[in-house]
Short mmCIF file of all heavy atoms in Angstrom, two decimals:
data_model
loop_
_atom_site.label_atom_id
_atom_site.label_comp_id
_atom_site.label_asym_id
_atom_site.label_seq_id
_atom_site.Cartn_x
_atom_site.Cartn_y
_atom_site.Cartn_z
N GLU Q 9 -7.84 -7.09 -2.87
CA GLU Q 9 -8.11 -8.05 -1.78
C GLU Q 9 -8.11 -7.42 -0.40
O GLU Q 9 -8.96 -7.72 0.43
CB GLU Q 9 -7.07 -9.20 -1.91
CG GLU Q 9 -7.10 -10.24 -0.81
CD GLU Q 9 -8.48 -10.93 -0.69
OE1 GLU Q 9 -9.18 -11.06 -1.70
OE2 GLU Q 9 -8.79 -11.33 0.44
N GLY Q 10 -7.11 -6.60 -0.13
CA GLY Q 10 -7.10 -5.89 1.15
C GLY Q 10 -6.58 -6.71 2.31
O GLY Q 10 -6.85 -6.40 3.47
N SER Q 11 -5.71 -7.70 2.05
CA SER Q 11 -5.18 -8.47 3.18
C SER Q 11 -4.22 -7.61 4.02
O SER Q 11 -4.16 -7.81 5.25
CB SER Q 11 -4.49 -9.75 2.69
OG SER Q 11 -3.29 -9.45 1.97
N ASN Q 12 -3.53 -6.67 3.40
CA ASN Q 12 -2.69 -5.79 4.20
C ASN Q 12 -3.51 -4.80 5.00
O ASN Q 12 -3.15 -4.47 6.16
CB ASN Q 12 -1.68 -5.06 3.30
CG ASN Q 12 -0.49 -5.93 2.94
OD1 ASN Q 12 0.35 -6.25 3.80
ND2 ASN Q 12 -0.44 -6.37 1.69
N ALA Q 79 -1.77 0.07 0.54
CA ALA Q 79 -1.71 -1.33 0.91
C ALA Q 79 -2.32 -2.11 -0.28
O ALA Q 79 -3.53 -2.34 -0.33
CB ALA Q 79 -2.51 -1.58 2.20
N GLY Q 80 -1.45 -2.43 -1.24
CA GLY Q 80 -1.98 -3.09 -2.44
C GLY Q 80 -2.69 -2.10 -3.35
O GLY Q 80 -3.53 -2.49 -4.14
N VAL Q 100 3.75 -0.68 0.83
CA VAL Q 100 4.38 -2.00 1.03
C VAL Q 100 4.54 -2.64 -0.36
O VAL Q 100 3.61 -2.58 -1.17
CB VAL Q 100 3.55 -2.87 2.00
CG1 VAL Q 100 2.15 -3.14 1.46
CG2 VAL Q 100 4.31 -4.17 2.28
N HIS Q 101 5.71 -3.20 -0.59
CA HIS Q 101 6.01 -3.78 -1.92
C HIS Q 101 6.68 -5.14 -1.76
O HIS Q 101 7.59 -5.30 -0.95
CB HIS Q 101 6.91 -2.81 -2.67
CG HIS Q 101 7.24 -3.29 -4.06
ND1 HIS Q 101 6.37 -3.15 -5.09
CD2 HIS Q 101 8.31 -3.98 -4.54
CE1 HIS Q 101 6.87 -3.71 -6.19
NE2 HIS Q 101 8.05 -4.20 -5.87
N PRO Q 102 6.24 -6.12 -2.58
CA PRO Q 102 6.76 -7.50 -2.41
C PRO Q 102 8.06 -7.78 -3.14
O PRO Q 102 8.15 -8.71 -3.93
CB PRO Q 102 5.60 -8.34 -2.95
CG PRO Q 102 4.97 -7.51 -4.01
CD PRO Q 102 5.14 -6.07 -3.56
N ARG Q 160 3.49 -12.64 1.65
CA ARG Q 160 2.34 -11.99 2.28
C ARG Q 160 2.45 -11.97 3.80
O ARG Q 160 2.16 -10.99 4.47
CB ARG Q 160 1.04 -12.72 1.90
CG ARG Q 160 0.60 -12.56 0.46
CD ARG Q 160 0.10 -11.16 0.15
NE ARG Q 160 -0.37 -11.11 -1.23
CZ ARG Q 160 0.35 -10.79 -2.28
NH1 ARG Q 160 1.61 -10.41 -2.11
NH2 ARG Q 160 -0.15 -10.82 -3.48
N GLU Q 163 4.73 -9.27 4.81
CA GLU Q 163 4.05 -7.98 4.64
C GLU Q 163 3.11 -7.71 5.82
O GLU Q 163 3.09 -6.60 6.34
CB GLU Q 163 3.22 -7.99 3.34
CG GLU Q 163 4.01 -7.92 2.08
CD GLU Q 163 3.15 -7.80 0.83
OE1 GLU Q 163 1.98 -8.29 0.84
OE2 GLU Q 163 3.61 -7.24 -0.15
C1 GRF Z 1 0.60 -7.00 -1.85
O1 GRF Z 1 1.60 -7.94 -2.13
C2 GRF Z 1 1.21 -5.64 -1.99
O2 GRF Z 1 2.53 -5.56 -1.55
C3 GRF Z 1 1.15 -5.49 -3.45
O3 GRF Z 1 -0.13 -5.97 -3.84
C4 GRF Z 1 -0.48 -7.01 -2.91
C5 GRF Z 1 -1.87 -6.68 -2.46
O4 GRF Z 1 -2.32 -7.41 -1.40
N1 GRF Z 1 1.45 -4.14 -3.87
P1 GRF Z 1 -3.60 -7.00 -0.53
O5 GRF Z 1 -4.62 -6.24 -1.41
O6 GRF Z 1 -3.14 -6.18 0.65
O7 GRF Z 1 -4.20 -8.33 -0.09
#
Side-chain angles (χ1 to χ4, degrees):
E9 175 58 29
S11 68
N12 281 290
V100 61
H101 182 80
R160 289 289 184 269
E163 289 185 331

